[in-house]
Amino acid sequence: MIGRTLSHFRIIEKIGEGGMGVVYRAEDTKLRRQVALKVLPPELVGNEERRLRFLREARAAAAVTHSNIATIHEVDEVEGVVFIAMELVEGKTLRALIAGKPMPIQSALRIATEMAEGLAKAHQAGVIHRDLKPDNVIVDSDGHAKILDFGLAKLLEVHAGAGTEELSKLQTISGELTREGKIFGTAAYMSPEQAEGKPVDVRSDIFSFGTVLYEMLTGQRPFMGKSRTSMLIAIVRDPPPALNLVRGEMPHDLERILFRCLEKNPESRYASASELSKSLAACQLKLAASGVGLRAVLRRPRFAVAGLVLLVAAFAAGTWFFVHSSRARWARTVALPEIARLSENGEYSAALKLARRSVRIIPDDPQLRFLLNAVSVPASIHTTPLGASIYMRVYRDIEGAWEDLGTSPLKDILLPAGLLRFRFEKDGFEPSERSEFGSRELRFQLEPHGAGPEGMVRVPAGPSRFGKSPQVQLEEFWIDRYEVTNEAYRQFVEAGGYLKREYWQHPFVVDEREISWENAMARFRDSTRRPGPATWELGSHPEGAADLPVTGVSWYEAAAYAAFAGKSLPTVFHWYNAADMSVFSDILAVSNIDNRHDGPAPAGRSTGLGPYGTYDMAGNVREWAANAVGDRRYVLGGAWNDPPYKFRDSDAASPFDRSPKNGLRCIQTANPLEPVLTRAIKEPVYDFNLEAPVDDATFEIYRGLYAYDPSDLDARIDVVDDSHPHWRREILSFRAAYGDHDERVIAHLFLPGTARPRFKPWSSSHILGRENLPLAGNWRRVPSSRSFHARAGPSCTL
């Protein structure tokens, strides 16, 4: 694997290996940063259940963003190799730091507080780790903890009666699945409910956390055994050894926190990791302020003289503190809680400003240092050429003022965590704006005045993939900063664009039959039958709409305009590389999509800025791409009234489609586009009809993936509609079998009004439980059709 490239990641070296995968150091050639690449071992590629677990790990971890959780950048599959690209954390595992010896109390408490913060964020997102242990915690070079491997979160639970063959397929990644089939995780760090194979919630992670904290403080685990079985029995039955028997005296508050985490009964533990983290933070502050360490020293006679010296020093420090107590009290009692609140709400810029102010007052405060690390990223910014003025603001703070960072190069500055906007200005160069996550090394290239095509931005060369199509290598290209406007398209119309055949370079095909150029031109008329987009009239755009993106154009018209402008339509590869889906959630929050406005916004009015300086790639209007899919053409990005997922998902339409949603954006390349880029590409939709039927044992595994906890459905009939002569419509709702069960599922049931069915249909009485027939989890497989049917009969196909 060394030296191989997966997607846009070049593998450098192997840095770790476990049952879940092999970890490599790799270079992200697209964003010019190093990442950790977790690859499913080649010998396990054929194991579908293991592959699904691997992908589940990525989805669970990617759902959570926090400074104490390793960030997932991407999950992909290339040529049968499944991998996760994640943040590369330089440091040591907590296991290596413990090394069988007790850690200093302050160090252990600081790391534990950060772990609890990370768990709290994960739990708020509905993710349970289920395998928290020292091996899954990395402490970086700055002493901060990051939790790895949410690989066992929400994994498949197996029925107790599973056979030997089935169980062999369900061995967990670490070989820790018991023969009973319900125990996941590493035995030494399980909660009692895990050890017994019972359902778990966030409090299971809190017990595992307590086990890790005990080991940090004592150098040994609280529950030992000569065998795996005896260890599990100890977890379920035995109390942990008292700390004074293992380490000696311990701060009372810390001991109370630890043993509350290790309660056998989940009801007796902390109800949430958020509550736990607050207790740890309070304990940390109390220890720092009260001098618990000093009192412990003074109790030992041989250290009494040194203790007295420290006491004198503490008295002098106390005098200074009294003089300056007003500012320090403000920093600790007002600023620190506010920084924590701002951090929790994702307001990192405001939190960083307050933290900078507090650092001048309490520079060595451990809680402040912890919070400062949570809300900021140390970075260096370089530009080509040097000497550019750099301005920054938080991506979503579209009304905020630009902060002057200084002149490049900037080294070792603190940037707010999260996605940021940067603006660059330098005499003789085009001013530009880019979006980028704060990272340790940021590099930007400025364009001299007039060096590039007007109104376009540069996208660097790099690899690209679309769906399951083979990876391609793109040369550097230019793409329109904004969508093509009505005014720009009017120049094409007034230049005789609809009269000159040289711009119309593609055959016109309708129902697999080519039609004439004249016939096609007759289709491309405005509302008054003049040549032009469908949304125009009298051969021109509506008054006052010059800056709006042109809409109502077909793919053929878009391609003709691109030829007129000396450009081309982007291929799907070019379009997605310029859009860069790694920042899609932030772009959607500020883009014209999901009916944020009543129609398209003028070019540049939306603040959805891409990483290379493009605007409106999410929403506003759909943009035609060069590639065909069957008899249609791709049209990407979604429109102002499309749901947000349309930005990521590919869409396609007839090349003659002239919807008011349709617009365009062009690219320009140094060389003609190669056929491999412009070829027809199948939609990235998996064809399940190509799958071979599986045996019954494997099918049971798949079915188990959709298992749910049995609970009262609380079903009811909400609406009854008898207005139609041929059927009766009932709208039903029942409690969802996931989450906290507060969400309800809506079902629409249509019952024959006049027909006499051959099979008795399901009625509301079945759903309401009057015939004791469950709605889910009671399926059988029909090999001939590969579909799922309820056992109520063929008329009940779902």
Side-chain angles (χ1 to χ4, degrees):
M1 292 289 287
I2 308 301
R4 180 177 176 181
T5 297
L6 292 176
S7 183
H8 52 92
F9 300 99
R10 182 176 62 83
I11 295 178
I12 299 173
E13 62 177 341
K14 179 179 174 181
I15 58 177
E17 184 171 4
M20 195 59 185
V22 184
V23 183
Y24 297 94
R25 181 190 300 271
E27 180 187 8
D28 184 336
T29 59
K30 191 174 181 181
L31 296 178
R32 300 185 298 279
R33 65 183 174 190
Q34 289 198 349
V35 300
L37 211 64
K38 194 165 194 178
V39 178
L40 190 67
E43 64 271 17
L44 298 179
V45 169
N47 187 324
E48 181 68 10
E49 189 271 337
R50 186 75 61 89
R51 188 180 72 86
L52 291 174
R53 288 174 184 265
F54 185 81
L55 294 175
R56 191 177 301 248
E57 171 186 357
R59 296 188 184 108
V64 186
T65 302
H66 192 270
S67 59
N68 297 121
I69 295 177
T71 302
I72 296 295
H73 299 311
E74 186 175 336
V75 57
D76 204 350
E77 182 174 1
V78 176
E79 299 175 358
V81 177
V82 184
F83 65 88
I84 299 174
M86 66 182 74
E87 175 186 4
L88 179 63
V89 184
E90 302 284 5
K92 296 182 178 180
T93 66
L94 186 54
R95 170 79 62 209
L97 289 180
I98 296 173
K101 299 178 181 178
M103 296 178 64
I105 291 177
Q106 286 287 10
S107 298
L109 189 52
R110 186 188 71 252
I111 292 172
T113 303
E114 294 184 356
M115 290 170 56
E117 291 280 353
L119 280 178
K121 188 68 174 181
H123 292 169
Q124 289 168 10
V127 178
I128 306 172
H129 195 290
R130 296 179 64 147
D131 194 28
L132 189 65
K133 57 187 177 181
D135 310 84
N136 284 339
V137 179
I138 293 285
V139 180
D140 65 19
S141 55
D142 295 325
H144 298 296
K146 285 187 180 284
I147 302 174
L148 312 175
D149 286 355
F150 279 83
L152 293 179
K154 296 289 185 183
L155 284 181
L156 173 65
E157 293 186 0
V158 190
H159 294 295
T164 303
E165 179 182 358
E166 180 179 351
L167 285 172
S168 68
K169 297 178 181 178
L170 291 171
Q171 294 299 308
T172 62
I173 57 175
S174 57
E176 298 292 348
L177 179 60
T178 66
R179 284 292 173 182
E180 286 73 28
K182 285 192 176 182
I183 302 180
F184 294 91
T186 304
Y189 300 92
M190 288 180 183
S191 65
E193 54 269 33
Q194 267 185 297
E196 293 182 295
K198 295 178 180 178
V200 301
D201 57 22
V202 298
R203 295 169 298 183
S204 177
D205 277 352
I206 290 174
F207 187 95
S208 300
F209 172 91
T211 304
V212 174
L213 178 57
Y214 189 101
E215 189 170 355
M216 292 165 66
L217 294 171
T218 66
Q220 67 183 50
R221 296 190 299 269
F223 307 106
M224 309 292 283
K226 294 182 178 180
S227 66
R228 188 173 185 277
T229 300
S230 61
M231 186 182 301
L232 293 176
I233 291 173
I235 290 172
V236 173
R237 183 191 63 191
D238 299 340
L243 289 175
N244 59 2
L245 299 178
V246 182
R247 173 169 180 152
E249 186 167 343
M250 191 74 62
H252 174 71
D253 287 350
L254 181 56
E255 191 170 13
R256 176 181 53 80
I257 293 170
L258 174 61
F259 286 109
R260 184 175 174 186
C261 291
L262 292 175
E263 288 284 352
K264 305 294 185 186
N265 183 359
E267 299 292 334
S268 301
R269 297 174 208 150
Y270 286 96
S272 69
S274 178
E275 181 185 357
L276 168 61
S277 68
K278 291 176 183 177
S279 294
L280 288 167
C283 180
Q284 192 176 10
L285 288 172
K286 185 174 181 180
L287 286 179
S290 63
V292 170
L294 176 60
R295 290 200 302 271
V297 167
L298 291 176
R299 288 192 181 95
R300 303 180 186 180
R302 60 184 177 136
F303 294 124
V305 174
L308 288 173
V309 173
L310 289 175
L311 184 60
V312 172
F315 178 78
T319 303
W320 179 92
F321 176 79
F322 180 79
V323 174
H324 299 276
S325 62
S326 179
R327 295 173 65 222
R329 188 183 305 112
W330 169 86
R332 288 192 171 92
T333 62
V334 177
L336 291 184
E338 179 63 8
I339 295 169
R341 186 192 68 80
L342 291 170
S343 173
E344 185 68 21
N345 293 337
E347 300 177 52
Y348 301 122
S349 181
L352 178 56
K353 291 178 181 178
L354 190 56
R356 284 171 174 160
R357 181 180 172 187
S358 302
V359 163
R360 294 194 292 268
I361 303 172
I362 48 173
D364 298 321
D365 186 273
Q367 185 70 3
L368 175 59
R369 289 294 173 185
F370 164 74
L371 291 171
L372 189 62
N373 180 72
V375 302
S376 66
V377 177
S380 295
I381 305 178
H382 306 270
T383 63
T384 304
L386 300 177
S389 298
I390 306 176
Y391 304 89
M392 179 275 298
R393 71 181 179 193
V394 175
Y395 189 85
R396 297 196 188 193
D397 187 15
I398 56 180
E399 301 296 334
W402 289 94
E403 179 181 347
D404 187 349
L405 297 180
T407 303
S408 66
L410 299 175
K411 296 184 178 180
D412 300 324
I413 63 173
L414 286 180
L415 296 176
L419 189 63
L420 306 172
R421 296 173 187 265
F422 292 95
R423 181 174 176 82
F424 305 92
E425 296 179 357
K426 182 177 174 63
D427 290 342
F429 292 82
E430 298 284 350
S432 64
E433 294 182 14
R434 314 282 180 84
S435 63
E436 182 64 81
F437 284 99
S439 62
R440 295 189 180 276
E441 291 288 335
L442 295 173
R443 299 183 180 274
F444 302 92
Q445 180 174 338
L446 278 62
E447 306 296 339
H449 283 309
E454 184 179 359
M456 305 188 85
V457 297
R458 184 199 303 266
V459 180
S464 180
R465 289 184 71 238
F466 178 71
K468 293 187 175 295
S469 63
Q471 179 176 292
V472 298
Q473 187 69 27
L474 298 181
E475 298 178 353
E476 176 183 273
F477 65 96
W478 296 82
I479 187 168
D480 286 339
R481 176 178 283 109
Y482 305 116
E483 294 152 330
V484 173
T485 64
N486 278 317
E487 180 60 24
Y489 198 86
R490 185 179 63 81
Q491 298 175 25
F492 166 64
V493 176
E494 293 185 352
Y498 284 84
L499 303 176
K500 298 178 180 180
R501 295 192 181 205
E502 60 266 30
Y503 299 140
W504 305 81
Q505 301 169 354
H506 303 274
F508 304 99
V509 178
V510 178
D511 296 331
E512 300 183 355
R513 180 177 60 86
E514 186 172 340
I515 64 174
S516 67
W517 185 80
E518 292 81 5
N519 189 332
M521 290 303 104
R523 296 168 178 254
F524 304 142
R525 304 286 174 168
D526 66 18
S527 60
T528 57
R529 305 303 300 161
R530 298 192 182 189
T535 53
W536 286 17
E537 60 182 17
L538 298 175
S540 184
H541 56 73
E543 185 177 353
D547 292 334
L548 289 173
V550 64
T551 58
V553 291
S554 66
W555 180 87
Y556 289 110
E557 291 167 283
Y561 171 84
F564 162 78
K567 304 176 183 179
S568 61
L569 293 180
T571 69
V572 291
F573 305 104
H574 291 90
W575 196 94
Y576 277 108
N577 260 34
D580 191 355
M581 292 298 155
S582 65
V583 297
F584 74 92
S585 60
D586 293 274
I587 287 180
L588 289 173
V590 295
S591 294
N592 184 21
I593 199 167
D594 199 22
N595 289 298
R596 185 164 284 114
H597 300 294
D598 294 335
R605 180 72 57 83
S606 170
T607 53
L609 172 67
Y612 303 108
T614 57
Y615 286 88
D616 292 318
M617 296 196 78
N620 219 35
V621 296
R622 304 189 302 183
E623 301 173 17
W624 285 111
N627 306 83
V629 48
D631 59 353
R632 298 171 295 156
R633 296 280 176 166
Y634 284 104
V635 58
L636 306 174
W640 76 93
N641 56 355
D642 278 330
Y645 65 79
K646 285 293 186 181
F647 175 44
R648 285 177 61 90
D649 289 1
S650 59
D651 202 354
S654 164
F656 286 98
D657 185 281
R658 307 182 82 215
S659 163
K661 291 184 176 184
N662 297 346
L664 71 145
R665 183 191 305 260
C666 300
I667 64 169
Q668 187 168 314
T669 55
N671 301 303
L673 296 176
E674 299 178 2
V676 69
L677 301 176
T678 59
R679 71 187 188 278
I681 302 177
K682 291 182 179 180
E683 287 184 277
V685 176
Y686 193 85
D687 186 359
F688 291 98
N689 290 320
L690 300 178
E691 288 290 336
V694 298
D695 56 59
D696 289 341
T698 304
F699 175 78
E700 288 301 318
I701 297 174
Y702 290 145
R703 186 175 72 166
L705 292 173
Y706 301 95
Y708 64 97
D709 296 329
S711 59
D712 181 12
L713 293 176
D714 186 25
R716 60 174 179 255
I717 302 174
D718 297 317
V719 177
V720 175
D721 180 6
D722 286 318
S723 61
H724 199 281
H726 300 300
W727 63 74
R728 168 193 177 94
R729 179 187 183 188
E730 296 182 358
I731 301 179
L732 317 168
S733 68
F734 54 92
R735 184 180 295 157
Y738 47 80
D740 57 7
H741 301 284
D742 287 338
E743 185 172 343
R744 299 188 67 79
V745 178
I746 307 300
H748 296 259
L749 182 66
F750 292 83
L751 301 174
T754 57
R756 300 178 63 184
R758 182 176 180 180
F759 300 101
K760 180 181 178 182
W762 267 7
S763 67
S764 57
S765 62
H766 292 87
I767 296 178
L768 293 176
R770 288 195 286 272
E771 294 193 21
N772 197 30
L773 182 63
L775 279 174
N778 193 18
W779 310 99
R780 62 184 174 87
R781 179 166 61 97
V782 181
S784 61
S785 63
R786 297 196 189 98
S787 62
F788 295 94
H789 295 261
R791 286 186 177 146
S795 65
C796 304
T797 301
L798 298 181

